[in-house]
């Protein structure tokens, strides 16, 4: 396992290791929720990660306290990152979890640096910071508290219901800085959920998170991601999903079509071959040009979802823009036009 060779931007010249092999402790826990999972506890050397300039992401800095994810989503684009450690990008990604146990204290130290300019920090954009492991390691309370204490704007994207544990911290942070919360719900079909997202809370429970956050004054958008071609894109499925999102009180809905980067593509296509062999050729044709579905297909899905959002009374998507809790007498800001994102 290449702990010493793991750098912030693989392939970049002059990169330094983020942590050393001597700093790794490997643990297993014989409890039902963690059976079959191995945790590699490390003391990271850096926790604020700069997004590569060529990225299509609408932010520049991220914090990722974990690598690997027990959500086990068969389409997860982050699978490739496990190969940087010589770990398997299939089952290994689901069961070999790297935990940066010093993330809160390290973040607090880096935020206090004179060189830090208080840029927006995005979390949950690689693997979910509220995956099952967070229940044991409790890294996020310290991370949110550090951002709150420095009034540093941040956003969180999650499929996890554990975020509600930190509701009070989020409220405190939103009083002093801009906080954006998005929950990922690509579909509400129970059979599709059980097969492609086996380690996640159900879509209904995730929408309960949206409802609870909204009831406590924290606006929460829904990233409708991924919309899975041939399995989750039927008009009836899209309608049912947008209707449920609207009923949850979401402030916005942003549809994102499945994309298949190297690492994720091989794992997802193997899953398709096993569970839906009749769709293999259709996927090969749809993704023949690369990781992304054709523009015409993406536009069709986006247009349809936005039409449904209008029908059900959801405001337009706002790029997941962070927001601060506002006084009741202040008018609501005007939201910008819908914009297609690429986070999942």
């Amino acid at each position: 396992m290449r702990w010493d060779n793991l750098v912030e931007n693989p392939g970049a010249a002059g990169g330094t290791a983020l942590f050393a092999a001597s700093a790794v402790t490997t643990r297993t826990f014989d409890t039902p929720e963690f059976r079959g999972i191995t945790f590699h506890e490390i003391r990271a050397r850096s926790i604020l990660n700069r997004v590569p300039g060529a990225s299509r992401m609408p932010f520049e800095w991220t914090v990722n306290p974990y690598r690997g994810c027990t959500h086990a989503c068969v389409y997860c684009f982050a699978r490739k990152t496990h190969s940087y450690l010589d770990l398997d990008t299939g089952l290994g990604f689901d069961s070999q979890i790297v935990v940066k146990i010093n993330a809160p204290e390290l973040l607090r130290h880096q935020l206090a640096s004179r060189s830090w300019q208080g840029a927006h920090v995005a979390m949950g954009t690689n693997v979910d910071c509220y995956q099952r492991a967070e229940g044991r390691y409790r890294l996020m309370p310290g991370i949110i508290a550090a951002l709150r204490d420095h009034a540093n704007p941040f956003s969180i994207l999650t499929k996890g219901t554990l975020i509600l544990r930190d509701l009070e911290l989020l409220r405190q942070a939103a009083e002093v800085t801009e906080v954006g919360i998005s929950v990922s719900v690509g579909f509400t079909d129970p059979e599709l959920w059980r097969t492609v997202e086996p380690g996640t809370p159900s879509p209904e429970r995730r929408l309960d998170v949206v409802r609870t956050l909204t009831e406590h004054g924290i606006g929460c958008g829904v990233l409708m991601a991924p919309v899975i071609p041939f399995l989750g894109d039927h008009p009836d499925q899209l309608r049912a999903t947008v209707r449920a999102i609207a009923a949850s009180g979401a402030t916005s809905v942003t549809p994102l079509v499945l994309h298949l980067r190297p690492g994720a593509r091989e794992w997802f296509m193997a899953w398709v071959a096993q569970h839906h062999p009749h769709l293999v050729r259709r996927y090969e044709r749809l993704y023949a040009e690369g990781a992304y579905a054709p523009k015409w297909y993406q536009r069709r899905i986006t247009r349809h979802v936005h039409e449904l959002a209008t029908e059900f009374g959801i405001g337009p998507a706002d790029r997941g823009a962070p927001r601060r809790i506002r006084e009741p007498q202040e008018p609501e800001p005007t939201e910008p036009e819908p914009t297609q994102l690429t986070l999942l």
Side-chain angles (χ1 to χ4, degrees):
M1 202 177 294
R2 295 187 297 158
W3 299 113
D4 286 314
N5 295 331
L6 181 67
V7 297
E8 183 173 342
N9 295 313
T16 58
L18 295 182
F19 46 85
S22 60
V24 178
T25 300
T26 298
R27 300 184 191 277
T28 58
F29 302 105
D30 190 22
T31 56
E33 68 270 29
F34 295 126
R35 190 161 293 135
I37 299 172
T38 300
F39 295 96
H40 304 285
E41 300 175 357
I42 62 98
R43 297 191 64 81
R45 294 172 177 166
S46 177
I47 196 66
L48 281 166
N49 308 307
R50 185 187 290 273
V51 177
S55 171
R56 301 168 69 175
M57 301 298 185
F59 44 79
E60 188 178 359
W61 294 91
T62 65
V63 165
N64 298 301
Y66 301 97
R67 281 178 177 261
C69 186
T70 53
H71 284 344
C73 302
V74 298
Y75 53 76
C76 183
F77 76 90
R79 289 182 177 277
K80 179 66 175 178
T81 62
H82 249 39
S83 67
Y84 307 151
L85 295 173
D86 285 342
L87 288 170
D88 175 51
T89 60
L91 290 176
F93 180 83
D94 304 336
S95 61
Q96 301 281 331
I97 310 301
V98 177
V99 184
K100 302 173 187 177
I101 58 173
N102 63 331
E105 61 196 77
L106 184 56
L107 177 61
R108 188 174 289 275
H109 174 75
Q110 290 187 264
L111 291 176
S113 170
R114 291 185 178 181
S115 63
W116 179 249
Q117 300 298 309
H120 177 91
V121 174
M123 292 175 282
T125 60
N126 190 37
V127 301
D128 202 322
C129 49
Y130 282 106
Q131 60 175 287
R132 207 180 315 160
E134 173 62 14
R136 171 172 286 273
Y137 286 98
R138 299 182 61 86
L139 300 180
M140 287 301 293
I143 289 171
I144 295 171
L147 291 162
R148 175 203 62 194
D149 293 348
H150 287 272
N152 201 103
F154 66 91
S155 59
I156 299 173
L157 171 65
T158 185
K159 288 186 176 79
T161 58
L162 192 57
I163 189 173
L164 295 181
R165 178 200 63 192
D166 298 336
L167 180 58
E168 182 55 33
L169 276 171
L170 293 170
R171 283 182 51 81
Q172 293 171 13
E175 290 174 355
V176 297
T177 190
E178 293 180 331
V179 176
I181 308 295
S182 293
V183 172
S184 177
V185 182
F187 42 82
T188 54
D189 184 316
E191 291 305 315
L192 185 59
W193 159 63
R194 290 188 185 96
T195 55
V196 301
E197 299 174 344
T200 66
S202 71
E204 290 77 11
R205 290 183 63 200
R206 283 178 252 164
L207 291 175
D208 284 341
V209 169
V210 177
R211 187 173 293 107
T212 301
L213 289 171
T214 301
E215 289 172 351
H216 285 80
I218 300 177
C220 183
V222 169
L223 199 62
M224 191 170 160
V227 176
I228 303 179
F230 317 127
L231 295 172
D233 63 349
H234 188 278
D236 291 344
Q237 292 173 302
L238 297 178
R239 171 173 285 274
T241 300
V242 177
R243 181 191 292 115
I245 291 170
S248 74
T251 57
S252 65
V253 56
T254 303
L256 294 178
V257 172
L258 173 74
H259 66 276
L260 297 172
R261 297 182 188 176
R265 186 185 188 110
E266 295 82 356
W267 189 246
F268 179 79
M269 289 303 294
W271 176 86
V272 171
Q274 179 181 358
H275 294 274
H276 304 280
H278 62 289
L279 294 179
V280 170
R281 292 298 300 275
R282 296 183 70 183
Y283 272 106
E284 289 174 346
R285 288 193 295 268
L286 190 66
Y287 290 88
E289 300 301 318
Y292 295 89
K295 290 291 185 182
W296 64 262
Y297 180 86
Q298 295 186 49
R299 292 191 187 104
R300 188 183 79 187
I301 295 297
T302 299
R303 182 172 60 252
H304 192 178
V305 169
H306 285 168
E307 289 171 353
L308 290 168
T310 299
E311 177 183 343
F312 292 114
I314 310 177
D318 60 358
R319 293 177 61 91
R323 62 188 66 210
R324 184 180 301 180
I325 288 182
R326 303 179 184 276
E327 295 300 321
Q329 66 269 21
E330 292 189 14
E332 288 295 321
T334 301
E335 296 189 359
E337 292 298 312
T339 302
Q340 179 79 359
L341 301 182
T342 309
L343 289 179
L344 290 183

